[in-house]
């Protein structure tokens, strides 16, 4: 065997837990990696979506004839001529599809930015020009986009968990409490905006539908498309090799369905890419919330009463719940423990999952309220949290798989220098800046879902893993390489991982911090079986030896426990009360998030989440115009996010925390980094100024107004 094909020797020590650069890193930095909008196709046509300019009403007419006469235009699809879709099914995630993705099926317009037509042309430029020239006539109706906590039409909604949990007599326990906090907190509408836009190309190949897409799970997209178009799932193939960010937004959307429609009508490949502005209407977002938190404790600081109520919005066509009150169900117990998630239906696009759905906004309210309670009790904020560490699930009553939050706070406090902190607010000053520090706890569920994997021992001494995983920037492809190498007891260089192809079999999506855990389980199972066969001396034929795993039974047999990742967030801020400017100077997050597969990419994920927490605390806010029903500044000029100048020293680390019930010990790290980050910053702003901010983002005008109010008081 030549040197070029000789595989590296077996690894002397385990690969999992050691830092590895991304196996596809060179392809990405040299441009060799192809994203969904870049894959070349012969005879490719381009589609451009036309969105409604009214917030409620119906379509009277689509003047498509003049547009069809424009250069390069191939077709115009709308509700009068588009293929019919089947929406009467329950998808992979246990819910019916958002009707927004079932485009061009009726003349109703339920919100501004609803897809009303697709113009397809030979080039993207021709399609855009024709789309902008398309005239659509509407019958407009009064719309309602006003979100507030006082709405009488709000109602409890389950979503993916019970809407309401209730134990104990809340009023009695509050009345008997030595200290009480009763406060309302708000978070604004927030948007994903991943670096890579949503893009899909559809084509028919020998009677089989093939979709090259940017998504968080090819199994998910294949199943939804097969159902919508009444196809056998085996007749649909979805490919998504490289994804430039998802954050919950890259499921099944209007552009994929429109591309399949156009490819069916024209019988040639069609690509549809969303613009940044269109993403504000069609890619989902995080609902605004209003949250009321009531806490009561005894003289020692132990909670007697905890109430967390949250209101979010949803569209009139599809119910989605931002379960912000759910974070309290795992974090703290009390004799009386009440939580409730409610929604109100408005004439707006449907919200969707966004990094740490529920936990991100919910932790801001709950962890801010805990800080207020610590102040009133005269107890250190960390001590108050540790005093109220529950021994079992506060609502479920189940045992915790592991709960190393205490270790996170101890290590974080040591490294951050918390012991030197003077608890009194408004005392530290550096020139024009007031300085303060704050902390908050974090948690996010650690789940697993059934997945399959295919593993082949090749005759050249290498091993090929095939799994329908999605690497949305997390480094999952590299993590699975390390997991497979250890399970096979070989060097990582002898493992090739192929992902992002629905033909590899069902697998969990990249979401809910469950992707790597679910896929690694399947890869480990396949590797175990293959290694047994090789250990028995099996000869490897020219086609290799292939095994396939399915973890459905193993995942289903897991004992019922409260499984979560935990963390402690720390922040130091500087506030200029004369200008209202807030600057985060440093952040530290210490996490208990299971066994860390690849420290290099894991730290990237945690720091990325914490950076998003800075953005959430100080910048992000989508504003909806009540007159038009649409956004004000639906682009990255009008929607502010944290930039390099806003991000200081951000450090993330972890404590030892392997999950004993997982084959690799993994929990999940995708979401936990953002949880509690905004609360830590808000608590630090209070410590700097002595003024509480219960509304995000903490804008300069709010800092100035709060300071003036405090001065008058």
């Amino acid at each position: 065997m030549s040197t070029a094909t000789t595989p590296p020797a077996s690894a002397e020590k385990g690969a999992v837990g050691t830092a590895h650069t991304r196996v596809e890193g060179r392809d990405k930095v040299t441009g060799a990696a192809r994203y969904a909008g870049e894959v070349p196709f012969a005879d490719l046509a381009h589609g451009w979506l036309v969105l409604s300019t009214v917030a409620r009403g119906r379509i009277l007419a689509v003047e498509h004839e003049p547009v069809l006469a424009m250069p390069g235009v191939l077709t115009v699809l709308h509700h009068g001529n588009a293929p019919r879709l089947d929406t009467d099914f329950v998808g992979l995630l246990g819910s019916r599809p958002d009707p927004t993705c079932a485009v061009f099926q009726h003349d109703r317009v339920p919100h501004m930015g609803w897809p009303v037509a697709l113009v397809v042309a030979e080039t993207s430029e021709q399609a855009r020009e024709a789309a902008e020239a398309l005239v659509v006539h509407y019958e407009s109706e009064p719309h309602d986009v006003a979100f507030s906590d006082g709405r009488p039409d709000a109602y409890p909604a389950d979503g993916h968990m019970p809407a309401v949990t209730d134990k104990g007599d809340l009023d009695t326990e509050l009345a008997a409490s030595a200290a009480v906090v009763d406060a309302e907190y708000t978070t604004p509408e927030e948007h994903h905006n991943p670096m890579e836009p949503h893009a899909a190309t559809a084509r028919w190949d020998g009677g089989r539908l093939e979709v090259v897409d940017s998504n968080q799970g090819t199994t998910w997209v294949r199943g939804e498309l097969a159902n919508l178009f009444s196809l056998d799932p085996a007749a649909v193939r979805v490919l998504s090799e490289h994804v430039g960010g998802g954050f919950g937004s890259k499921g099944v959307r209007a552009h994929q369905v429109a591309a399949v429609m156009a490819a069916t009508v024209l019988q040639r490949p069609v690509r549809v890419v969303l613009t940044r502005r269109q993403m504000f209407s069609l890619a989902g977002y995080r609902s605004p919330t209003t949250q009321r938190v009531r806490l009561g404790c005894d003289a020692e600081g132990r909670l007697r009463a905890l109430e967390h109520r949250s209101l979010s919005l949803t569209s009139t066509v599809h119910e989605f719940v931002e379960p912000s009150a759910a974070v309290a169900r795992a974090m703290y117990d009390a004799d009386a423990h009440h939580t409730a998630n409610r929604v109100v239906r408005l004439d707006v696009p449907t919200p969707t999952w966004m990094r740490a759905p529920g936990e991100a906004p919910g932790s801001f309210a709950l962890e801010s309220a805990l800080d207020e309670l610590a102040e009133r009790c005269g107890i250190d904020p960390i001590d108050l949290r540790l005093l109220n560490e529950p021994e079992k699930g506060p609502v479920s009553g189940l045992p915790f798989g592991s709960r190393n939050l205490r270790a996170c706070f101890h290590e974080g406090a040591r490294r951050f220098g918390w012991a030197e902190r003077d608890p009194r607010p408004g005392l530290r000053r550096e020139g024009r800046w007031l300085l303060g520090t704050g902390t908050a706890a974090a948690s996010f569920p650690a789940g697993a879902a059934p997945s399959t994997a295919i593993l082949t021992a090749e005759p050249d001494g290498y091993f090929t893993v095939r799994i329908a995983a999605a690497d949305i920037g997390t480094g999952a492809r590299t993590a699975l390489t390390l997991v497979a190498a250890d399970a096979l007891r070989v060097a990582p260089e002898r493992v090739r991982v192929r992902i992002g192809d629905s033909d590899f079999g069902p697998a969990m999506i990249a979401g809910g911090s469950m992707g790597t855990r679910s896929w690694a389980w399947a890869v480990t199972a396949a590797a175990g079986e293959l290694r047994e066969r090789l250990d028995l001396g099996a000869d490897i034929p020219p086609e290799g030896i292939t095994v396939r795993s399915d973890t459905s039974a193993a995942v289903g047999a897991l004992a019922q426990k409260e499984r979560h990742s935990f963390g402690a967030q720390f922040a130091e801020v500087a506030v200029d009360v004369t200008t209202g400017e807030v600057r985060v100077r440093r952040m530290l997050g210490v996490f208990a998030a299971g066994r860390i597969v690849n420290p290099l990419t894991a730290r990237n994920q945690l720091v990325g989440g914490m950076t998003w927490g800075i953005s959430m605390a100080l910048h992000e806010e989508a504003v909806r115009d009540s007159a038009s029903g649409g956004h004000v500044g639906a682009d990255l000029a009008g929607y502010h996010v944290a930039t390099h100048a806003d991000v200081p020293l951000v450090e993330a680390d972890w404590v030892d925390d392997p999950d004993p019930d997982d084959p690799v010990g993994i929990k999940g790290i995708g979401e936990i980094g953002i949880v509690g980050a905004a609360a830590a910053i808000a608590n630090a702003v209070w410590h700097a100024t002595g003024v509480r901010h219960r509304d995000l983002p903490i804008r300069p005008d709010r800092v100035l107004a709060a300071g003036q109010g405090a001065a008058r008081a």
Side-chain angles (χ1 to χ4, degrees):
M1 188 177 291
S2 68
T3 303
T5 58
T6 300
S10 299
E12 293 183 2
K13 66 175 183 177
V16 170
T18 59
H20 280 69
T21 57
R22 298 169 189 262
V23 295
E24 81 284 8
R26 180 178 293 274
D27 287 345
K28 285 184 173 177
V29 299
T30 60
R34 299 276 192 177
Y35 290 83
E38 302 174 322
V39 178
F41 287 91
D43 200 29
L44 178 65
H46 299 265
W48 200 278
L49 283 166
V50 179
L51 309 186
S52 69
T53 56
V54 301
R56 183 180 177 88
R58 69 186 187 92
I59 304 166
L60 296 177
V62 179
E63 295 187 11
H64 60 269
E65 292 295 339
V67 168
L68 287 171
M70 294 180 68
V73 174
L74 301 170
T75 190
V76 178
L77 297 179
H78 52 80
H79 72 280
N81 63 6
R84 298 296 95 184
L85 300 173
D86 180 8
T87 59
D88 187 20
F89 65 89
V90 175
L92 175 71
L93 300 182
S95 62
R96 295 186 180 280
D98 181 350
T100 304
C101 74
V103 292
F104 319 141
Q105 299 299 290
H106 53 75
D107 64 357
R108 295 297 306 170
V109 175
H111 62 74
M112 174 76 79
W114 176 265
V116 297
L118 178 76
V119 177
V120 186
E122 295 287 355
T123 70
S124 177
E125 293 80 7
Q126 290 171 332
R128 178 172 188 168
E129 182 180 7
E132 292 175 349
L134 183 68
V135 176
V136 181
H137 297 278
Y138 302 95
E139 180 181 60
S140 183
E141 300 172 2
H143 61 265
D144 181 5
V145 298
F147 176 72
S148 68
D149 190 46
R151 294 191 59 116
D153 51 347
Y155 62 93
D158 289 343
H160 294 278
M161 61 187 67
V164 177
T165 64
D166 191 347
K167 74 174 183 180
D169 189 324
L170 194 68
D171 291 335
T172 298
E173 295 298 336
L174 285 170
S177 294
V180 173
V181 167
D182 184 347
E184 183 177 282
Y185 304 85
T186 70
T187 61
E189 181 178 320
E190 299 168 349
H191 285 258
H192 305 78
N193 283 296
M195 185 176 294
E196 180 204 15
H198 294 61
T201 304
R203 68 168 181 168
W204 288 92
D205 183 14
R208 195 176 191 218
L209 175 64
E210 181 178 288
V211 179
V212 176
D213 185 32
S214 176
N215 63 55
Q216 294 181 226
T218 56
T219 300
W220 179 17
V221 175
R222 180 187 70 168
E224 300 282 297
L225 291 177
N227 282 320
L228 286 167
F229 288 91
S230 301
L231 299 170
D232 183 340
V236 181
R237 185 184 189 187
V238 178
L239 298 164
S240 186
E241 184 177 5
H242 298 289
V243 182
F247 310 114
S249 71
K250 286 185 175 175
V252 181
R253 300 286 173 198
H255 66 289
Q256 297 131 311
V257 178
V260 174
M261 283 183 169
T264 302
V265 170
L266 296 174
Q267 287 299 298
R268 61 185 287 188
V270 176
R271 174 172 294 156
V272 180
V273 181
L274 297 186
T275 67
R276 187 67 65 183
R277 182 171 289 272
Q278 288 174 339
M279 286 165 57
F280 276 82
S281 298
L282 300 180
Y285 57 97
R286 197 194 303 280
S287 166
T289 70
T290 63
Q291 302 176 58
R292 185 184 183 188
V293 179
R294 292 200 289 172
L295 303 175
C297 68
D298 62 22
E300 286 73 40
R302 290 183 175 83
L303 288 172
R304 301 188 61 151
L306 186 157
E307 181 185 39
H308 191 171
R309 298 169 59 86
S310 177
L311 175 69
S312 60
L313 60 75
T314 189
S315 70
T316 60
V317 298
H318 185 65
E319 185 178 270
F320 181 88
V321 183
E322 181 75 22
S324 300
V327 66
R329 300 174 187 177
M331 285 304 298
Y332 307 107
D333 202 358
D335 297 323
H337 195 290
H338 293 209
T339 66
N341 291 306
R342 297 180 301 142
V343 297
V344 60
R345 291 183 178 272
L346 298 175
D347 300 316
V348 296
T350 308
T352 193
W353 295 275
M354 184 169 170
R355 198 172 198 171
E359 274 79 4
S363 65
F364 164 66
L366 182 63
E367 292 299 313
S368 295
L370 258 293
D371 216 65
E372 296 197 42
L373 187 65
E375 176 196 354
R376 295 188 186 183
C377 294
I379 299 176
D380 181 87
I382 294 178
D383 292 341
L384 180 68
R385 287 170 171 85
L386 297 184
L387 181 67
N388 286 285
E389 273 285 271
E391 296 182 358
K392 59 184 179 180
V395 172
S396 69
L398 295 172
F400 286 100
S402 64
R403 186 179 173 110
N404 289 342
L405 179 59
R406 189 177 298 274
C408 295
F409 269 118
H410 286 161
E411 176 63 13
R414 182 190 67 79
R415 290 180 53 172
F416 198 73
W418 189 262
E420 289 75 45
R421 177 184 189 261
D422 189 323
R424 295 172 296 173
L427 296 182
R428 290 178 62 201
R429 181 180 288 274
E430 187 178 283
R432 63 189 178 92
W433 300 98
L434 290 172
L435 306 182
T437 53
T439 190
S443 74
F444 195 82
S451 296
T452 61
I454 302 169
L455 184 51
T456 301
E458 308 286 1
D460 62 2
Y462 289 82
F463 297 85
T464 302
V465 177
R466 294 176 178 85
I467 185 167
D471 192 335
I472 60 175
T474 59
R477 184 188 276 102
T478 306
L480 294 179
T481 300
L482 305 184
V483 168
D486 277 8
L488 291 165
R489 299 174 188 166
V490 300
E493 291 77 15
R494 290 179 63 183
V495 178
R496 308 165 178 139
V497 174
R498 303 288 181 263
I499 65 172
D501 187 339
S502 62
D503 276 1
F504 293 161
M508 176 57 185
I509 67 169
S513 293
M514 294 194 292
T516 299
R517 173 171 173 153
S518 301
W519 307 323
W521 198 326
V523 169
T524 301
E529 181 181 344
L530 181 59
R531 196 179 67 244
E532 286 181 7
R533 294 178 62 176
L534 295 176
D535 287 346
L536 293 174
D539 292 327
I540 301 178
E543 69 274 13
I545 298 176
T546 297
V547 299
R548 179 189 180 95
S549 66
D550 184 339
T551 62
S552 299
V555 172
L558 276 172
Q560 291 294 306
K561 294 181 181 179
E562 286 272 0
R563 292 184 172 86
H564 302 265
S565 292
F566 292 96
Q569 302 271 17
F570 296 84
E572 180 179 75
V573 303
V575 183
D576 185 342
V577 294
T578 60
T579 65
E581 183 179 1
V582 178
R583 287 283 178 183
V584 176
R585 291 203 165 181
R586 60 187 177 111
M587 289 190 74
L588 170 67
V590 178
F591 303 94
R595 189 180 183 194
I596 301 302
V597 177
N598 185 356
L600 183 63
T601 53
R603 186 168 280 107
N604 289 345
Q605 282 294 293
L606 295 170
V607 169
M610 294 169 68
T611 301
W612 202 340
I614 296 173
S615 201
M616 178 181 177
L618 304 180
H619 302 285
E620 295 193 43
E621 182 180 25
V623 178
R624 198 169 288 277
D625 177 26
S626 60
S628 69
H631 285 113
V632 178
D635 50 46
L636 292 184
Y639 182 82
H640 295 168
V641 298
T643 62
H644 285 297
D646 299 302
V647 181
L649 176 64
V650 179
E651 296 180 285
D653 212 335
W654 44 84
V655 297
D656 190 44
D657 182 49
D659 186 337
D661 296 324
D662 182 86
V664 186
I666 298 171
K667 284 187 176 181
I669 58 173
E671 263 100 351
I672 188 71
I674 191 176
V675 181
I681 293 169
N683 292 337
V685 170
W686 168 81
H687 187 233
T689 65
V691 177
R692 289 284 176 189
H693 287 269
R694 301 186 181 99
D695 305 296
L696 294 184
I698 306 174
R699 303 188 311 250
D701 61 307
R702 287 175 168 166
V703 174
L704 291 174
Q708 292 166 0
R712 286 194 297 270

